[in-house]
Amino acid sequence: WVIFGTKPRSLKRHRSLLLAAMCHSLCGSLLQQRNVPGCKQEVLEQAPMYVAVMTYLGFGIVTLFGYFRDFLRAVGLEKCHLAQEREEQKDFVPLYQDFENFYTRNLYMRVRDNWNRPVCSLPGPVFDLMERVSDDYNWTFRFTGRTLHNVINMGSYNYLGFAENEAESLKTVADTTLRYGVGVCSTRHEIGNLSIHEELEELVARFLGVESSMTFGMGFATNSMNIPALVGKGCLILSDELNHTSLILGARLSGATIRVFKHNNMHSLEKMLREAVCSGQPRTHRPWKKILIMVEGIYSMEGSVVRLAEIVALKKKYRAYLYLDEAHSIGAVGPSGRGVTELTGVNPADVDVMMGTFTKSFGAAGGYIAGRKELVDYLRTCSHSAVYATALSPPVTEQILRAMKCIMGKDGSAEGIRRIRQLAENTRYFRARLKEMGFIIYGNDHSPVVPILLYMPGKVVAFAREMLERKIGVVVVGFPATPITEARARFCLSAGHTRAMLDQVLHHLNEVGDNLCLKFSRRKHDLSRASLSEETDS
């Protein structure tokens, strides 16, 4: 009932969605566990019923106070800080939808100090933040001139720690900048095609174990601009309900028919595949031109891993195509960092379209599409992102080459494998300790994305502020980016995190969890702290 990335079209529509969700949740679903398999069975534990009731009550109270404050603004008893339309513009089409405006000024504005914090250093495992305060309840901010130093970064997608600033490691990047400059100012089709671009594409293809690949300057556009080149009217897209906004936008731009299946649910997917093959297109019942299954390797909000082997079996059975987004999984999982295909033992040749980004594990920018040579050659001439977009910046390209060669061991060292193993060890350790403490966490045991469920809106805000007071930077996410009863803090592990850093974070998490009563788990974990502490930091 809540699709990430969409916004209610009207306040009336939002109310109906909200009431439907509340009725559905309160009628018993919160008393059960949802089974959401990944590589193996993943069970998303639900909080006790009173937590859901208190969460809805919290949103209800802030909504009622929001309407009351709107009344005070309307009669002039409270100043309205937001820009307003002139009286002569009242008959025009409104610039903002009612609920968007209401939510922004009455709910988000009160707590927006927890987002968009200004970073003034390299965002590695630790970073510096510029302190800011507000004198008017977050309508405006002012800087105090004070800097918060050495805040532990638990929110960046710097999985392998390549977002670094070591002169020796970055020497090749500096040399490339001197040779090529910082930008090509042209598309690959015109005069922006450099030798290092072709070198990178050959290396990506070898790294993934496929025939060919091509790179793009922006990860989001890799999805949103290439999907319309692959499917169109008369085609069917079967999309996981938790897919990223870039996938959703690309699917909508394509003009293809879109149907959403339940997250990682093979019964739901197969039912839709069977119906699509048997019934064909609506009204005409002609066969679909193409059926494309779109999934992610690791889902960034849930931390779950796609059931790739089963999806590949279904796509072969029903002769569909598979589009795999490995933005969060490439470099981060698998014994050698080759993503979910390696983690699940799937042949990369069985995935028709392999997509990934360089913005996370590789500490750079851009994305790639890989697969059969015919596919890549077609996209080179038909994709808007390939024909019209500026080519990758040369220093960024060299940074990707540097990181990928390190992962593959082509730099003559074992540093890449060490980082991959360190990330896996940090992930296991952090997840195990959180479970031991009694937090409800989502996701697969291999996933470096670790969501901690906070539920209540007041506790979300208190958690973020309290952690920053303890010099730990966290990312908190709530409605409408998540279901209303599942607000969370999302931790991202990195190979750059040392055991001492993780222990410090866990110590403060344990205290904050007790102080704010955030330990909702009712499971018993056969886990001894001694066995975990015996592991050494490599």
Side-chain angles (χ1 to χ4, degrees):
W1 54 273
V2 173
I3 301 176
F4 178 64
T6 63
K7 297 178 180 178
R9 295 183 179 179
S10 65
L11 183 58
K12 182 178 180 181
R13 171 176 166 78
H14 170 74
R15 284 172 177 164
S16 63
L17 287 172
L18 189 58
L19 288 173
M22 292 174 67
C23 292
H24 174 74
S25 298
L26 293 176
C27 284
S29 64
L30 291 175
L31 295 176
Q32 303 173 354
Q33 290 183 341
R34 288 186 298 155
N35 296 328
V36 183
C39 292
K40 59 181 181 179
Q41 193 79 0
E42 294 175 12
V43 180
L44 304 188
E45 182 182 0
Q46 295 299 293
M49 171 65 87
Y50 79 89
V51 176
V53 174
M54 295 299 293
T55 300
Y56 284 123
L57 186 61
F59 272 102
I61 291 173
V62 295
T63 301
L64 288 175
F65 270 93
Y67 283 119
F68 178 67
R69 296 187 65 199
D70 276 354
F71 169 76
L72 295 180
R73 295 186 186 107
V75 298
L77 295 179
E78 182 177 335
K79 180 181 178 182
C80 182
H81 297 272
L82 286 180
Q84 295 181 352
E85 295 174 342
R86 298 175 182 175
E87 191 64 32
E88 57 268 24
Q89 294 176 315
K90 294 297 183 181
D91 294 332
F92 289 11
V93 176
L95 295 177
Y96 302 100
Q97 299 292 341
D98 279 345
F99 184 74
E100 288 181 53
N101 214 353
F102 175 83
Y103 192 91
T104 299
R105 67 178 176 266
N106 292 307
L107 282 78
Y108 170 73
M109 196 62 66
R110 308 289 290 185
V111 297
R112 74 184 184 114
D113 58 297
N114 294 296
W115 293 274
N116 306 316
R117 289 168 175 157
V119 178
C120 57
S121 71
L122 175 79
V126 296
F127 57 73
D128 299 336
L129 288 177
M130 298 175 67
E131 186 181 63
R132 59 179 184 175
V133 295
S134 176
D135 302 316
D136 52 7
Y137 302 101
N138 292 340
W139 289 100
T140 60
F141 291 101
R142 61 178 175 85
F143 293 109
T144 64
R146 178 170 169 258
T147 301
L148 302 178
H149 295 283
N150 297 322
V151 177
I152 299 178
N153 182 4
M154 296 302 296
S156 292
Y157 303 134
N158 184 25
Y159 296 129
L160 294 182
F162 282 114
E164 53 197 355
N165 195 17
E166 298 178 7
E168 188 62 31
S169 300
L170 297 174
K171 186 178 185 303
T172 58
V173 179
D175 293 342
T176 300
T177 306
L178 292 175
R179 179 182 178 186
Y180 292 103
V182 295
V184 296
C185 304
S186 178
T187 67
R188 296 279 298 276
H189 281 214
E190 294 172 322
I191 58 172
N193 189 41
L194 303 179
S195 58
I196 57 173
H197 292 143
E198 297 182 358
E199 179 187 356
L200 175 59
E201 291 176 345
E202 292 174 3
L203 188 65
V204 169
R206 288 202 302 272
F207 180 65
L208 298 175
V210 295
E211 294 179 5
S212 184
S213 74
M214 64 181 301
T215 59
F216 305 89
M218 181 181 179
F220 191 97
T222 304
N223 277 332
S224 59
M225 293 289 100
N226 282 294
I227 294 173
L230 297 173
V231 291
K233 189 175 181 181
C235 299
L236 174 65
I237 294 176
L238 300 180
S239 176
D240 189 290
E241 66 178 342
L242 295 184
N243 275 343
H244 188 260
T245 310
S246 60
L247 290 169
I248 297 171
L249 178 61
R252 289 174 176 172
L253 291 174
S254 71
T257 301
I258 305 170
R259 292 176 185 167
V260 179
F261 64 90
K262 295 179 181 178
H263 175 54
N264 251 346
N265 190 312
M266 297 303 103
H267 296 292
S268 175
L269 176 58
E270 184 167 18
K271 180 181 178 181
M272 290 186 178
L273 282 168
R274 188 185 301 115
E275 181 182 353
V277 171
C278 295
S279 302
Q281 301 183 41
R283 294 188 299 274
T284 64
H285 299 291
R286 292 177 181 174
W288 295 100
K289 295 178 181 178
K290 297 176 190 174
I291 300 177
L292 180 66
I293 304 170
M294 290 199 319
V295 294
E296 294 186 49
I298 292 179
Y299 291 85
S300 59
M301 283 292 170
E302 305 292 322
S304 54
V305 175
V306 65
R307 296 171 62 176
L308 188 59
E310 295 171 74
I311 291 178
V312 167
L314 286 177
K315 79 107 179 176
K316 287 181 177 180
K317 179 179 178 180
Y318 293 96
R319 298 189 178 183
Y321 296 94
L322 176 59
Y323 188 107
L324 174 64
D325 179 343
E326 288 215 80
H328 288 270
S329 54
I330 192 65
V333 295
S336 60
R338 284 169 168 80
V340 292
T341 54
E342 183 179 47
L343 180 67
T344 58
V346 170
N347 186 348
D350 290 333
V351 180
D352 300 287
V353 186
M354 299 186 70
M355 177 270 172
T357 63
F358 303 120
T359 58
K360 299 171 175 66
S361 295
F362 302 95
Y368 66 82
I369 293 284
R372 296 180 60 187
K373 188 175 184 303
E374 293 85 352
L375 166 74
V376 175
D377 290 344
Y378 168 78
L379 289 177
R380 288 190 195 280
T381 58
C382 298
S383 167
H384 288 87
S385 190
V387 176
Y388 297 107
T390 303
L392 268 172
S393 167
V396 171
T397 306
E398 180 58 34
Q399 161 65 11
I400 302 166
L401 282 167
R402 178 184 79 90
M404 192 168 290
K405 287 177 180 178
C406 182
I407 294 172
M408 298 172 70
K410 290 184 175 294
D411 61 346
S413 73
E415 176 63 16
I417 292 298
R418 187 201 68 81
R419 294 190 187 211
I420 293 169
R421 291 174 178 170
Q422 184 66 52
L423 174 62
E425 181 183 327
N426 287 349
T427 299
R428 290 193 302 269
Y429 178 74
F430 194 74
R431 282 183 169 274
R433 287 294 305 276
L434 289 177
K435 291 177 182 177
E436 181 189 26
M437 291 176 185
F439 290 100
I440 293 180
I441 64 173
Y442 281 178
N444 189 277
D445 290 340
H446 298 280
S447 171
V449 179
V450 186
I452 296 181
L453 275 294
L454 305 177
Y455 301 104
M456 305 178 199
K459 292 191 176 186
V460 172
V461 178
F463 178 84
R465 291 171 178 167
E466 184 67 24
M467 293 299 285
L468 186 60
E469 285 290 326
R470 297 164 183 259
K471 301 185 75 171
I472 298 170
V474 300
V475 173
V476 290
V477 190
F479 181 80
T482 67
I484 195 169
T485 57
E486 295 184 12
R488 65 199 66 178
R490 185 181 60 180
F491 289 77
C492 295
L493 279 300
S494 170
H497 289 137
T498 63
R499 181 59 60 85
M501 289 179 188
L502 295 183
D503 284 338
Q504 183 178 344
V505 173
L506 289 165
H507 169 73
H508 290 299
L509 272 174
N510 194 33
E511 289 186 350
V512 173
D514 288 333
N515 294 340
L516 299 180
C517 299
L518 298 174
K519 299 178 179 180
F520 302 112
S521 180
R522 292 166 290 180
R523 296 181 185 171
K524 301 295 182 183
H525 298 280
D526 296 328
L527 210 60
S528 64
R529 182 171 299 186
S531 64
L532 289 171
S533 61
E534 287 172 2
E535 299 180 22
T536 58
D537 189 28
S538 59

